[in-house]
Amino acid sequence: MAQAVPPPAGSTAKPQDTEQWTPVPPVVTPGRTDGAAPSDATVLFDGKGLDQWVATKDKSPAAWDVKDGVLVVSKTHGNIETKKAFKNYQLHLEWRVPTDVTGSGQARGNSGVFLASTGPGDAGYELQILDSYKNETYVNGQAASMYKQAPPLVNSMRPPGAWQTYDVVWTAPTFGADGKVKTPARVTAFHNGVLVQNDTVLTGETLYIGKPYYKAYDRAPIKLQAHGDPSPPLSFRNIWVRELP
């Protein structure tokens, strides 16, 4: 509570004048830990199956492996994405580079989470996943970068074998009836609890070659990448999302 300061002489203002009582925010029960899904979250993966996911290429059932409660990338089966489409949201996911990871640069533990999957393959907006623990590469391609657009503020990578966490707030772009951008996409992200993207404004979708540009869309799935680099596959666990206004 702010220290009480008397109003200017002659003022009739009262404390109640600036008190807001409605609407009352809904009650959300938090998880037992900061990484556990709260009561209003949609659980996308809890170690028990892939009912919430399909193959990006043809929307068939997702064929990645689930072993001991962990989702393992299948590079032969390609990208997977959520059955449900989202607009604005809070996302939590955990990922792990295997201890026996090999390679260097972009060929070492490469994957990605596409915050909006706007088409086949790697179409959309990618938050990079990579082994960036003592692994040099271009900075807008390291872990926690918005790929080829925005390097992370810091490198907060844990070593291979340790679980990494991403907590993301995604504000989707909006478009007018003519398909032109009304408001750009924005991303705030924490990597292992450390702020790495601070309300970052994007200039378009992720492109490997060329400058980003926007394509109009309304809602989109969340996509996980099966990158074709030759290193051993990554794993995921504890993925959930909360839709936001």
Side-chain angles (χ1 to χ4, degrees):
M1 179 178 174
Q3 183 177 354
V5 177
S11 172
T12 59
K14 301 181 180 65
Q16 294 85 350
D17 295 342
T18 50
E19 294 174 357
Q20 179 180 341
W21 287 77
T22 59
V24 177
V27 174
V28 172
T29 304
R32 292 180 178 272
T33 65
D34 289 344
S39 59
D40 64 343
T42 298
V43 176
L44 299 176
F45 180 73
D46 61 1
K48 298 176 183 178
L50 288 172
D51 294 344
Q52 298 290 328
W53 300 83
V54 293
T56 298
K57 60 184 177 182
D58 59 9
K59 306 302 184 285
S60 62
W64 288 12
D65 297 322
V66 178
K67 298 178 180 178
D68 300 323
V70 172
L71 176 60
V72 182
V73 175
S74 173
K75 300 192 180 190
T76 59
H77 286 98
N79 298 347
I80 64 173
E81 63 186 32
T82 57
K83 291 180 179 178
K84 187 174 181 179
F86 301 93
K87 196 172 184 69
N88 305 321
Y89 60 78
Q90 172 190 349
L91 174 69
H92 175 91
L93 82 162
E94 300 171 17
W95 53 278
R96 181 175 63 188
V97 176
T99 54
D100 61 347
V101 66
T102 58
S104 62
Q106 295 291 305
R108 184 179 175 89
N110 199 325
S111 182
V113 52
F114 285 77
L115 305 176
S117 174
T118 59
D122 292 341
Y125 302 80
E126 182 185 9
L127 176 61
Q128 173 75 319
I129 291 175
L130 189 78
D131 180 17
S132 288
Y133 186 79
K134 299 180 180 179
N135 177 36
E136 186 176 357
T137 189
Y138 44 93
V139 296
N140 61 350
Q142 72 180 72
S145 65
M146 290 306 298
Y147 188 71
K148 287 291 186 83
Q149 288 198 58
L153 296 173
V154 295
N155 181 346
S156 58
M157 188 79 186
R158 294 177 177 136
W163 283 99
Q164 319 279 338
T165 65
Y166 277 170
D167 289 285
V168 183
V169 176
W170 169 249
T171 302
T174 60
F175 302 89
D178 59 359
K180 293 183 178 180
V181 178
K182 292 175 64 178
T183 57
R186 310 178 82 97
V187 182
T188 295
F190 293 81
H191 182 194
N192 295 327
V194 179
L195 182 66
V196 288
Q197 298 288 343
N198 187 14
D199 197 27
T200 300
V201 177
L202 301 183
T203 56
E205 296 192 12
T206 298
L207 290 180
Y208 180 52
I209 299 174
K211 298 290 187 179
Y213 62 90
Y214 279 105
K215 295 182 297 184
Y217 81 96
D218 181 36
R219 301 174 69 85
I222 298 167
K223 178 163 57 188
L224 299 179
Q225 185 185 49
H227 194 274
D229 79 274
S231 66
L234 279 75
S235 301
F236 292 90
R237 72 178 185 185
N238 191 24
I239 308 173
W240 50 264
V241 62
R242 294 181 62 244
E243 296 190 70
L244 302 175

